[in-house]
């Protein structure tokens, strides 16, 4: 049976470090402040933002929520992001995704790029993603960092490991594949157009899946003793929360596996907090 990678416990370690850093900054008279922007009234997004608020408050980061109605104009969003980005008191700015299509149209990249790269704690500006692709120092997307941390908890050295990353989104798949490549893993990126996914996954020492498809990764697709990292979060018709992996059967084959919930989710929030402190330190040169 696979070792269960306890994302909650790992996240607790990261959060404790962040809390200690924030306390140190406060003791020196500083204040770490984070602003989240929420457009519209999507209930899932409201929950995600509330979770971020709670997490910030627990480690002593000042949290500001800026909301715009789903009926707002594109220019209202642009003005708000510009204002927050220019505000010297704010160290991190995050635009909660997705933004309603009637507001953002096909301008998501443009709007994300209005965030000062030094405050881009989601790591989604072209500046930060470009640096990650170049192997340069930058603010790295939180989920990608969570995935690496989870893998490192059972496999500290990725050199020579074959990784299959299922998913190539801007927010998860692409940055994760870049981060793992920078750690000397040999990464194959698969997506919805990949032919014979199982042929790839069976060769992998580590499978990371972020597709949003329940049961996409089944036991026959997993090499014995592989590490399986499940980023997916899917709500089934009966209300149950599951990942992209057939957990009950894959845990019999894998050497280690992340559960859903309680795997990468808590780590993503923990690394958001960490990015906010990293951003503060870079802005203050400390
Ligand atoms: P996207 O929908 O943006 O991307 C999904 C990716 O998976 C795409 O690249 C898509 O391919 C690929 N894909 C979809 N179906 C298949 C398939 N059948 N076979 C192979 N590849 C497939 O989603 P996100 O990246 O934003 O999120 C992915 C999942 O991770 C979701 O369940 C989301 O809720 C979850 N998530 C979890 C987080 C956490 O903290 N745990 C954080 C962020 C997301 P193509 O490019 O060809 O369309």
């Amino acid at each position: 049976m696979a070792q269960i990678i306890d994302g909650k416990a790992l996240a607790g370690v990261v959060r404790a470090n962040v809390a200690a850093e924030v306390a140190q900054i406060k003791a020196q008279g500083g204040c770490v402040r984070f602003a989240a922007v929420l457009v519209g009234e999507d209930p899932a997004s409201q929950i995600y933002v509330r979770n971020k608020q709670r997490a910030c408050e627990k480690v002593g980061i000042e949290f500001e929520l800026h909301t715009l109605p789903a009926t707002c104009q594109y220019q209202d969003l642009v003005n708000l992001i510009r204002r927050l980005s220019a505000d010297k008191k704010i160290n991190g700015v995050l635009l909660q995704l997705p933004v309603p299509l009637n507001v953002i149209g096909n301008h998501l990249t443009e709007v994300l790029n209005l965030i000062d790269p030094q405050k881009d704690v989601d790591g989604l500006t072209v500046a930060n993603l470009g640096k990650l692709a170049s192997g340069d120092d930058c603010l790295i997307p939180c989920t990608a960092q969570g995935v690496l941390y989870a893998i490192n908890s059972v496999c500290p050295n990725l050199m020579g490991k074959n990784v299959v990353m299922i998913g190539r989104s801007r927010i998860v798949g692409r940055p994760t594949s870049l981060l793992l490549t920078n750690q000397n893993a040999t990464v194959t990126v698969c997506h919805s157009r990949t032919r014979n996914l199982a042929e790839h996954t069976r060769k992998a020492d580590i499978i990371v899946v972020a597709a949003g498809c329940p049961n996409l990764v089944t036991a026959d697709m997993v090499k014995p003793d592989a590490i399986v990292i499940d980023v997916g979060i899917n709500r089934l018709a009966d209300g149950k929360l599951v990942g992209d992996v057939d957990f009950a059967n894959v845990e019999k084959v894998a050497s280690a596996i992340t559960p859903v919930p309680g795997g990468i989710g808590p780590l993503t929030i923990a690394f958001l907090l960490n990015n906010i402190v990293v951003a503060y330190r870079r802005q203050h040169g400390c």
Side-chain angles (χ1 to χ4, degrees):
M1 279 299 239
Q3 174 186 343
I4 309 296
I5 300 173
D6 184 345
K8 266 194 192 163
L10 292 174
V13 176
V14 178
R15 283 174 192 236
N17 283 337
V18 172
E21 289 208 47
V22 174
Q24 190 193 35
I25 290 167
K26 279 192 177 162
Q28 292 162 350
C31 173
V32 185
R33 186 177 286 272
F34 166 62
V37 174
L38 175 63
V39 186
E41 290 82 31
D42 174 49
S45 294
Q46 285 172 335
I47 292 173
Y48 289 140
V49 168
R50 205 177 312 133
N51 288 344
K52 286 168 190 168
Q53 174 167 9
R54 283 202 195 116
C56 282
E57 286 167 358
K58 275 191 188 156
V59 296
I61 294 173
E62 302 293 321
F63 178 90
E64 291 180 8
L65 175 60
H66 297 264
T67 56
L68 288 171
T71 50
C72 76
Q73 301 294 309
Y74 172 69
Q75 198 55 43
D76 298 329
L77 176 59
V78 166
N79 293 345
L80 176 58
I81 299 273
R82 281 210 176 111
R83 181 166 68 73
L84 297 175
S85 200
D87 186 335
K88 290 203 163 48
K89 291 193 297 298
I90 294 173
N91 309 109
V93 178
L94 175 147
L95 175 61
Q96 182 65 42
L97 302 179
V99 177
L101 258 185
N102 63 295
V103 178
I104 198 104
N106 59 358
H107 300 293
L108 178 62
T109 300
E110 265 166 79
V111 172
L112 287 173
N113 285 334
L114 294 173
I115 300 174
D116 177 345
Q118 290 226 46
K119 298 187 180 182
D120 169 29
V121 288
D122 241 353
L124 297 181
T125 56
V126 167
N128 278 316
L129 285 175
K131 283 186 180 173
L132 184 61
S134 314
D136 291 334
D137 193 31
C138 61
L139 285 168
I140 301 167
C142 318
T143 305
Q145 290 190 68
V147 168
L148 177 61
Y149 198 78
I151 295 172
N152 280 160
S153 73
V154 290
C155 173
N157 189 353
L158 286 180
M159 174 121 52
K161 298 291 181 196
N162 290 324
V163 177
V164 164
M165 174 74 237
I166 308 174
R168 56 174 169 178
S169 68
R170 176 206 295 255
I171 191 157
V172 187
R174 271 172 216 259
T176 303
S177 64
L178 293 169
L179 183 61
L180 300 182
T181 303
N182 293 347
Q183 296 292 312
N184 297 317
T186 303
V187 181
T188 303
V189 180
C190 298
H191 44 77
S192 70
R193 313 294 167 93
T194 298
R195 283 196 205 137
N196 207 341
L197 181 63
E199 218 170 73
H200 296 282
T201 58
R202 279 190 205 115
K203 291 184 199 144
D205 304 308
I206 301 167
I207 300 171
V208 182
V209 56
C213 299
N215 290 323
L216 179 64
V217 175
T218 49
D220 59 308
M221 295 167 70
V222 177
K223 185 171 87 167
D225 290 336
I227 296 167
V228 179
I229 307 293
D230 191 353
V231 181
I233 303 176
N234 307 291
R235 176 89 52 193
L236 300 182
D238 63 4
K240 201 177 159 208
L241 217 55
V242 298
D244 292 346
V245 174
D246 173 8
F247 184 89
N249 290 308
V250 171
E251 76 164 331
K252 294 176 191 156
V253 183
S255 64
I257 187 168
T258 56
V260 177
I264 298 303
L267 280 165
T268 295
I269 294 205
F271 278 101
L272 171 65
L273 303 175
N274 193 60
N275 270 357
I276 298 167
V277 172
V278 169
Y280 176 95
R281 288 203 181 281
R282 289 190 185 166
Q283 287 155 32
H284 289 81
C286 61

